[in-house]
Amino acid sequence: MKRSTAPAPLIETAEADALVEGRHGNPFAVLGPHRASDGWILRALLPDAERLEALDEDGKLLLELEQAAHGLFVGRLERDPGRYRLRATRGRESWTFEDPYRFGPLLGEMDEHLLAEGTHQRLWEVLGARATTLDAIAGVHFAVWAPNAERASVVGDHNDWDGRRHPMRRRGTTGVWEIFLPGLSEGARYKYEILGKDGALQPLKADPLGFGAEQPPATASLVRDLSGHNWQDQAWMTRREERGRVDQPISIYEAHLGSWKRAEKGSRPLTYRELADDLVAYVRDMGFTHLELLPVSEHPFDGSWGYQPIGLFAPTSRYGTPEDFRHFVEACHAAEIGLILDWVPGHFPTDAHGLAQFDGTALYEYSDPREGFHQDWNTLIYNYGRREVANFLVANALYWLKEHHVDGLRVDAVASMLYRDYSRKAGEWLPNRDGGRENLEAIEVLKRMNQAVYAACPGIVTMAEESTAWPGVSRPVHEGGLGFGYKWNMGWMNDTLAYMARDPIHRRHHHDQITFGLHYAFSENFVLPLSHDEVVHGKGTILTRMPGDGAEQFAGLRAYYGFMWGHPGKKLLFMGQDFAQRAEWSHERSLDWHLTENPPHAGVQRLVRDLNCLYRETPALHARDCEAAGFAWVEAGAAAESLFAWLRFGPVGSAPVLVVCNFTPVERGGYRLGVPAAGRWLERLNSDASDYGGGGRGNLGGVDSKPLAAHGHAQSLEITLPPLSTLFFQLAR
């Protein structure tokens, strides 16, 4: 006699309780359709429904599910329900929707393997929120890394921010959770609700790989589809490899988008699309080769200027959408301008919706504050030794270059990454595994990043803001360096600004502050930076550092800019300094553009434009910026006169340039300087020209050499040096 087999229970009580209470760590094992010994069981969790039905793909009723617990509906079917839909009813209201729990996983085996290894260079293609189509149904695939979570859910307007509604599927050993939510699309707001191992709910978290975000102070992530942009910058991208060579001119205009110029009488910043017209046109007119933006990754606090980012993969929504940002990038390229972004892999803020304690543990950050907390900035430090975190940072660098066609990254605060004792007292830091102060893991991340971006994106540049004597910052990794293309020359900046701030009568005693930089000028590929950091926090501006009355200040500034553009190294100038802004920079207001109607300020602006033009069109001034053979002193010892003269050389066959600086308010007539070749030396630029607001003193367009030996040369020039001036002479060919 056969025993009758009892039908499988529709759901175990413990499973039901865990789902209803939001504790279940494996919801796909329970929800959706599942084969049973006697057919199929269908389960769905919908806390706000009173009645739930399953419909076939033609809209016909398959079954009405019964409510096994509050909001938990179950039912039995004889066959696979196939492409069913659910219809919920509450009172007189009903709605039909796709069940997320009928869809299988999206992450493939190779993606899982690379994620587990921490080597997935296109991380943004598997994590985050990506609009996609599955089984002919449009929706959004969400995936987030939270290895120590007990449960992870997507919450948003679509489910009344209820974490019980859409718990995610955990993928093997990767620590990644995923779910496909049908019906969601561009612009949907969302966050992740994460239940820690200890049973505690974390604050709702923004997506670490979200492509969009709400405008601060709101903090939700936004679904943004990056797949539909029709790029129009192919001509630029084709030539980018040539433009990225070290022998090419690089003159950078550094800007903060929110305060470069304001719209409508200062009431709001310009949008990406407005900036694509106004800012790009200005940078092109001024002759800069590149535009560098203070960080545009999403950040919660305006006062951080972007240097405390939370959404590393999201162009800040303050100025528009990712599509708007891409339009801005294209405008730069159409204007023959390279775009560099400030990139911040050194730290992140402690805001509750960010990366801090993301899954209830120190996931992205070091757990020990002696390694993981920046005392100066009250921020957290990435755990560079964790392979997934290192991969997150490297992939983010690639993301901006690949997905948004950005041309370079300036890496912020590299010194803080290189040293474990950075800005720490004894006992406040932990040594590395060898007992030293170097952060070996961070060093490897920087090397790996540079190797990855230069291999994947020929022609891009990376630049390190690094203020110490660390060797080989801009040397290739295979030669023992960090692999950057360039290093900011902070020593040059500090020394020369200090020199220029002195009363000219005292400069003779500090002559080496100008000459010292040439002792190491070719040890790295240097950028000469006059950046945003030099015009804040009581430092004044570059103009106000110059001593003397108004006219003397402007003359000193013009001479200093001439010195900078004649000096070996690529150039960088922060916005406002191009027209001698007098007030310190504030991120809360526009630059003082009305000053450009004032002749002295307009003169400085014309000078910067002409310096850029001269620099770009003269190989001797840029082609060997980073080679010792491209430079030679003519006069380095005239301390009593505070006078300097040097030669710049370009490729074979190009004409050399003589640069002369007079940093005293005394005109020097009949001054003799040796030159390496006979002929007429054209006065290409004179910072004292009347067009720039100077006195119009000079050499009437040029000087013929004479066979009188000077400074080790058989030929020499007898020139007039206006007070507080820099002059450029080039041998006529």
Side-chain angles (χ1 to χ4, degrees), residues 458 645 681:
W681 288 71

Side-chain angles (χ1 to χ4, degrees), residues 528-709:
L528 310 180
L530 295 178
S531 74
H532 62 280
D533 281 326
E534 305 317 309
V535 295
V536 290
H537 303 320
K539 296 177 183 177
T541 64
I542 308 302
L543 173 66
T544 59
R545 293 189 189 202
M546 304 295 133
D549 59 19
E552 194 169 284
Q553 276 189 318
F554 279 97
L557 180 68
R558 294 193 303 268
Y560 182 53
Y561 283 172
F563 161 76
M564 174 178 172
W565 260 259
H567 194 286
K570 309 307 182 184
K571 325 300 175 190
L572 180 141
L573 190 65
F574 184 58
M575 64 183 198
Q577 310 318 298
D578 45 308
F579 60 81
Q581 170 102 0
R582 186 171 288 278
E584 271 198 349
W585 170 58
S586 168
H587 70 276
E588 297 178 327
R589 63 180 181 85
S590 169
L591 298 177
D592 295 331
W593 287 102
H594 63 277
L595 292 177
T596 59
E597 300 173 7
N598 185 307
H601 295 274
V604 170
Q605 190 179 44
R606 281 191 290 271
L607 172 67
V608 171
R609 183 188 293 114
D610 288 353
L611 283 168
N612 276 330
C613 181
L614 179 65
Y615 172 70
R616 291 176 66 161
E617 69 183 21
T618 309
L621 291 177
H622 67 253
R624 304 176 81 176
D625 261 330
C626 305
E627 298 178 37
F631 174 89
W633 279 114
V634 174
E635 178 57 86
E641 296 84 8
S642 297
L643 186 143
F644 306 86
W646 63 88
L647 289 161
R648 297 293 306 278
F649 301 99
V652 175
S654 62
V657 171
L658 173 69
V659 184
V660 190
C661 300
N662 176 14
F663 287 135
T664 64
V666 177
E667 180 174 334
R668 302 191 185 280
Y671 201 93
R672 186 165 298 281
L673 291 168
V675 290
R680 184 160 181 79
W681 288 71
L682 303 175
E683 188 179 79
R684 295 293 308 278
L685 187 142
N686 180 344
S687 71
D688 190 54
S690 55
D691 280 352
Y692 307 141
R697 294 152 290 195
N699 298 276
L700 301 176
V703 180
D704 293 316
S705 70
K706 294 181 180 180
L708 297 175

Side-chain angles (χ1 to χ4, degrees), residues 240-497:
R240 188 164 72 174
E241 186 168 2
E242 177 184 349
R243 297 173 190 275
R245 296 199 317 256
V246 74
D247 64 351
Q248 295 298 297
I250 294 181
S251 181
I252 304 166
Y253 187 72
E254 187 190 31
H256 175 259
L257 291 183
S259 58
W260 178 73
K261 186 182 287 184
R262 293 266 174 157
E264 300 172 3
K265 298 182 180 179
S267 62
R268 66 169 178 84
L270 300 181
T271 66
Y272 289 125
R273 291 183 180 269
E274 290 169 331
L275 289 159
D277 294 331
D278 292 3
L279 174 57
V280 171
Y282 180 76
V283 172
R284 181 178 186 180
D285 176 67
M286 289 296 291
F288 290 95
T289 65
H290 289 73
L291 171 62
E292 180 180 315
L293 304 181
L294 270 63
V296 297
S297 297
E298 196 58 78
H299 50 282
F301 177 46
D302 286 347
S304 79
W305 313 331
Y307 288 101
Q308 293 188 11
I310 277 184
L312 277 187
F313 288 79
T316 179
S317 59
R318 290 166 173 83
Y319 318 121
T321 66
E323 183 67 15
D324 296 331
F325 177 73
R326 287 172 162 186
H327 176 80
F328 176 82
V329 176
E330 284 184 318
C332 289
H333 293 170
E336 299 289 305
I337 295 167
L339 182 64
I340 300 169
L341 299 185
D342 256 353
W343 186 56
V344 188
H347 64 145
F348 58 91
T350 60
D351 296 62
H353 69 284
L355 299 180
Q357 293 283 309
F358 188 80
D359 64 357
T361 67
L363 185 63
Y364 284 88
E365 68 269 33
Y366 290 104
S367 59
D368 192 318
R370 290 173 294 176
E371 294 180 287
F373 186 74
H374 262 309
Q375 299 173 342
D376 289 353
W377 305 318
N378 293 320
T379 54
L380 298 171
I381 301 170
Y382 288 102
N383 184 347
Y384 304 108
R386 186 160 194 161
R387 63 181 185 273
E388 297 94 341
V389 175
N391 190 55
F392 172 78
L393 294 171
V394 173
N396 182 248
L398 285 164
Y399 164 79
W400 289 103
L401 302 171
K402 300 287 284 187
E403 283 295 322
H404 294 292
H405 288 200
V406 168
D407 303 294
L409 300 172
R410 175 268 193 185
V411 183
D412 179 61
V414 170
S416 75
M417 299 175 65
L418 296 177
Y419 301 99
R420 286 175 165 266
D421 63 346
Y422 179 85
S423 195
R424 295 176 186 271
K425 299 174 183 176
E428 296 179 344
W429 60 281
L430 296 179
N432 63 34
R433 60 178 179 265
D434 299 323
R437 58 193 287 256
E438 300 82 9
N439 190 327
L440 303 177
E441 296 82 9
I443 293 165
E444 287 307 309
V445 169
L446 292 173
K447 290 179 177 180
R448 180 177 160 191
M449 180 276 297
N450 279 313
Q451 288 177 308
V453 299
Y454 275 103
C457 307
I460 60 90
V461 295
T462 61
M463 300 176 174
E465 185 207 17
E466 206 287 302
S467 55
T468 74
W470 187 279
V473 172
S474 59
R475 187 183 306 147
V477 173
H478 67 269
E479 295 180 8
L482 293 181
F484 285 93
Y486 297 92
K487 172 180 174 174
W488 274 23
N489 195 335
M490 312 296 282
W492 173 91
M493 182 248 334
N494 289 322
D495 285 348
T496 61
L497 281 177

